[in-house]
Amino acid sequence: MTFHHPPQADRRLDLASVLADLTADGFLDRGTANQILGQNRSREQSAMHPLVYIAGQQLENRLQPGRKLDAETLTRWLAEKSGLPVWHIDPLRVNVPAVTAVMSYEFARRHQILCLAADRDRVVIATAQPFATGWVEGLEQATRKPIERVVANPADVEKYTVEFYTLSRSVMGAGRAQMGTSRPALTNVEQLFEVGGLQDPDAQDQHIVNIVDWLLQYAFDQRASDIHLEPRRDKGRIRFRIDGVLHQVYELPPQVMTAMVSRLKILARMNVAEKRKPQDGRVKTKSPDGDEVELRLSTLPTAFGEKLVMRIFDPEVLLRSFGDLGLTGGDHERWQSMTSRSHGIVLVTGPTGSGKTTTLYSTLKYLATEAVNVSTVEDPIEMVEAAFNQTQVNPAIDFDFAAGIRTLMRQDPDIIMVGEIRDLATAEMATQAALTGHLVLSTLHTNDAPTAITRLLDLGVPGHLIRVTLNGVMAQRLVRVLCPQCKERTTVDPDVWQELVSPWQAAAPSHVYQPVGCLDCRNTGYLGRIGLYEIMVIGDSLRALVNDQCDTAQLRLRAMKEGMRTLRLNGAQKVAAGVTSVEEVLRVTPQHEH
């Protein structure tokens, strides 16, 4: 490539020169370029960066027929023209306090640059104007470090410049300000459950309101499922769980963290004055796309203050099909055979965060026709759904799971969902409900499906009652899905493959896929999660093995002979299909001795 216009010391890109260069390099034909140049642009469009404006026109890429000249393609082209590397801005990897201290907001906006990293040896600056270099010498003198320039998507440079500096100013302002006591409007946030409490004046400062608003919108943008606010001795930290993995997002002064927790407790109608006891609350808000989102809040007293975790519930979960959840083919048929019976107990097992609630809600949504009464007793109600009659337990008035089931039995139910079987009283009431002609769905915390029977025996449920009431058990895990844009073919070690499919013998596939990382998946190599399932249907031969001295290993072997596939085998099938990676399946599934 050659420059259509020779670079000058401080040449800024304009639409005419960019279109001329794209035409000269074969990306556009001259007629299209002239047509764009002749368009009447609004003041806002005229102020746009040329690449942002061109990307918005959805033009055909002549060098790659069928593909558009999108922002990523144009950014790579600009980087090659200028001889600078491309940098995809990942906000999760940027130390915002450090990078915003390098230069002022006004300086960054004027030159269309943004600092992305600042360490002892260098300063990395993303630029949307790679041919404008007049600022470099002055900034090198001010920082006393060499400047490493990179090219980034101009839209990202503009967006994150505003976000980073707004956040940094709010944090600094919150740390300095004498907090006011006037309560700001809650804008798009409303309370679902009123717990009561006092207003904390520290939480009313506009800086704190801005930080909390940023936190929620940022979490939605990053596809986070949980937000952790963790107090420490010198500073508090914010972490997001994305696709099951925690990522550190930001560090805050302790007093700012405390005020943020108070602000969130106010929004959730929790008792702000009570900092010694754990509390739970709920908030309903909106995502950047305008979709309604519910947050479940939980506080925990720690050595340096209250730790707060917010779980984000996506209402779209209830609209997902079993195929979207990863429950397909024979697994789906086995699950339906357990849940389509008019009575009995169906259990979903797995550790916290393995998707049990999502599976149960999706199943109930499917079963909740006009002809049946579906009632739930939960702790807490995780997602509000109009098709169910949902009840929340309240230990303060002795209304626990067992009492809830006992009450529901008098409410003429067809299907009962119990949040979790934790004790003998709940297990006994669930068993009685199943014996009297109701279908009961619930969860247990066990590692696999056969162990659920051992767990019920440990709680004190007699073996003969388990034998006559249990329809089946499904264990599940969530694995990250490989990003379809960047996953890469590779081969699999036969020994590792055999570890996945044991005790069966199955030839390793000719190729599998491994994560790489790109802009779409924020350089993780994974995008979203899907379920792995181990479904044990209790048939006659398995029923005969259920007694007070039940052998889990014997149960597992018999279940596998009857068609149950272990979590690892189910994972192996998804690896062979290119859905996930070998390492991901090994990470989340238990290993059994055979």
Side-chain angles (χ1 to χ4, degrees), residues 282-294:
R282 280 178 181 273
V283 170
K284 184 188 286 184
T285 183
K286 291 186 182 296
S287 71
D289 299 329
D291 298 324
E292 192 174 87
V293 179
E294 290 183 15

Side-chain angles (χ1 to χ4, degrees), residues 34 40 68-69 87 114 125-126 195 242 244 291 338 472 533 560:
N34 290 335
N40 289 322
K68 303 293 184 183
L69 269 180
W87 192 297
L114 176 63
I125 304 289
V195 180
I242 302 171
D291 298 324
M338 290 157 47
Y533 302 96
M560 288 192 295

Side-chain angles (χ1 to χ4, degrees), residues 44 69 74 96 116 135 146 182 204 217 227 243 245 281 318 368 407 436 519:
E44 183 181 344
L69 269 180
L74 291 169
V96 175
L116 298 179
W135 53 270
S182 60
Q204 309 310 314
Q217 299 305 311
I227 306 170
D243 291 337
V245 179
L318 290 170
T407 304
T436 51
L519 188 60

Side-chain angles (χ1 to χ4, degrees), residues 58-70:
Q58 295 286 298
L59 302 172
E60 179 98 5
N61 184 347
R62 290 186 65 198
L63 295 183
Q64 293 180 296
R67 302 196 64 172
K68 303 293 184 183
L69 269 180
D70 56 18

Side-chain angles (χ1 to χ4, degrees), residues 20-96:
D21 284 341
L22 285 170
T23 302
D25 291 338
F27 288 92
L28 292 175
D29 60 70
R30 193 171 300 279
T32 302
N34 290 335
Q35 183 181 350
I36 295 171
L37 202 56
Q39 288 175 348
N40 289 322
R41 290 182 290 157
S42 65
R43 181 178 298 180
E44 183 181 344
Q45 290 173 326
S46 297
M48 283 183 179
H49 189 284
L51 295 196
V52 176
Y53 181 75
I54 294 169
Q57 303 302 303
Q58 295 286 298
L59 302 172
E60 179 98 5
N61 184 347
R62 290 186 65 198
L63 295 183
Q64 293 180 296
R67 302 196 64 172
K68 303 293 184 183
L69 269 180
D70 56 18
E72 187 174 356
T73 302
L74 291 169
T75 301
R76 285 199 307 267
W77 168 80
L78 181 60
E80 191 171 343
K81 293 286 282 185
S82 60
L84 298 177
V86 177
W87 192 297
H88 298 302
I89 302 176
D90 181 355
L92 290 176
R93 299 174 186 269
V94 176
N95 183 342
V96 175

Side-chain angles (χ1 to χ4, degrees), residues 47-252:
M48 283 183 179
H49 189 284
L51 295 196
V52 176
Y53 181 75
I54 294 169
Q57 303 302 303
Q58 295 286 298
L59 302 172
E60 179 98 5
N61 184 347
R62 290 186 65 198
L63 295 183
Q64 293 180 296
R67 302 196 64 172
K68 303 293 184 183
L69 269 180
D70 56 18
E72 187 174 356
T73 302
L74 291 169
T75 301
R76 285 199 307 267
W77 168 80
L78 181 60
E80 191 171 343
K81 293 286 282 185
S82 60
L84 298 177
V86 177
W87 192 297
H88 298 302
I89 302 176
D90 181 355
L92 290 176
R93 299 174 186 269
V94 176
N95 183 342
V96 175
V99 301
T100 52
V102 169
M103 68 186 87
S104 70
Y105 172 72
E106 292 73 18
F107 187 86
R109 289 281 287 181
R110 183 165 67 249
H111 296 289
Q112 291 182 282
I113 58 177
L114 176 63
C115 180
L116 298 179
D119 52 39
R120 283 185 291 183
D121 302 322
R122 59 165 189 167
V123 175
V124 178
I125 304 289
T127 177
Q129 295 287 352
F131 305 121
T133 58
W135 53 270
V136 175
E137 185 178 350
L139 195 59
E140 281 186 328
Q141 290 177 353
T143 59
R144 298 180 181 178
K145 295 172 187 174
I147 301 294
E148 181 180 325
R149 292 188 306 135
V150 297
V151 172
N153 182 338
D156 287 346
V157 172
E158 182 176 4
K159 172 188 174 185
Y160 290 118
T161 299
V162 174
E163 285 191 13
F164 291 168
Y165 281 92
T166 300
L167 176 62
S168 186
R169 283 175 177 175
S170 293
V171 171
M172 289 177 64
R176 288 195 307 259
Q178 296 296 317
M179 305 295 185
T181 56
S182 60
R183 180 169 185 167
L186 297 183
T187 59
N188 65 340
V189 182
E190 61 175 280
Q191 294 74 32
L192 292 184
F193 295 93
E194 184 161 340
V195 180
L198 303 174
Q199 294 187 22
D200 188 323
D202 285 353
Q204 309 310 314
D205 183 74
Q206 190 60 44
H207 293 301
I208 296 300
V209 175
N210 292 341
I211 296 169
V212 169
D213 286 348
W214 163 83
L215 176 67
L216 296 180
Q217 299 305 311
Y218 188 33
F220 301 148
D221 184 55
Q222 296 295 319
R223 302 180 295 105
S225 61
D226 300 85
I227 306 170
H228 291 242
L229 275 66
E230 303 172 326
R232 294 292 187 266
R233 185 186 301 276
D234 298 321
K235 48 182 71 173
R237 67 178 181 177
I238 298 172
R239 294 198 290 174
F240 291 168
R241 187 177 296 279
I242 302 171
D243 291 337
V245 179
L246 278 170
H247 300 265
Q248 180 149 324
V249 175
Y250 203 85
E251 289 187 340
L252 296 160

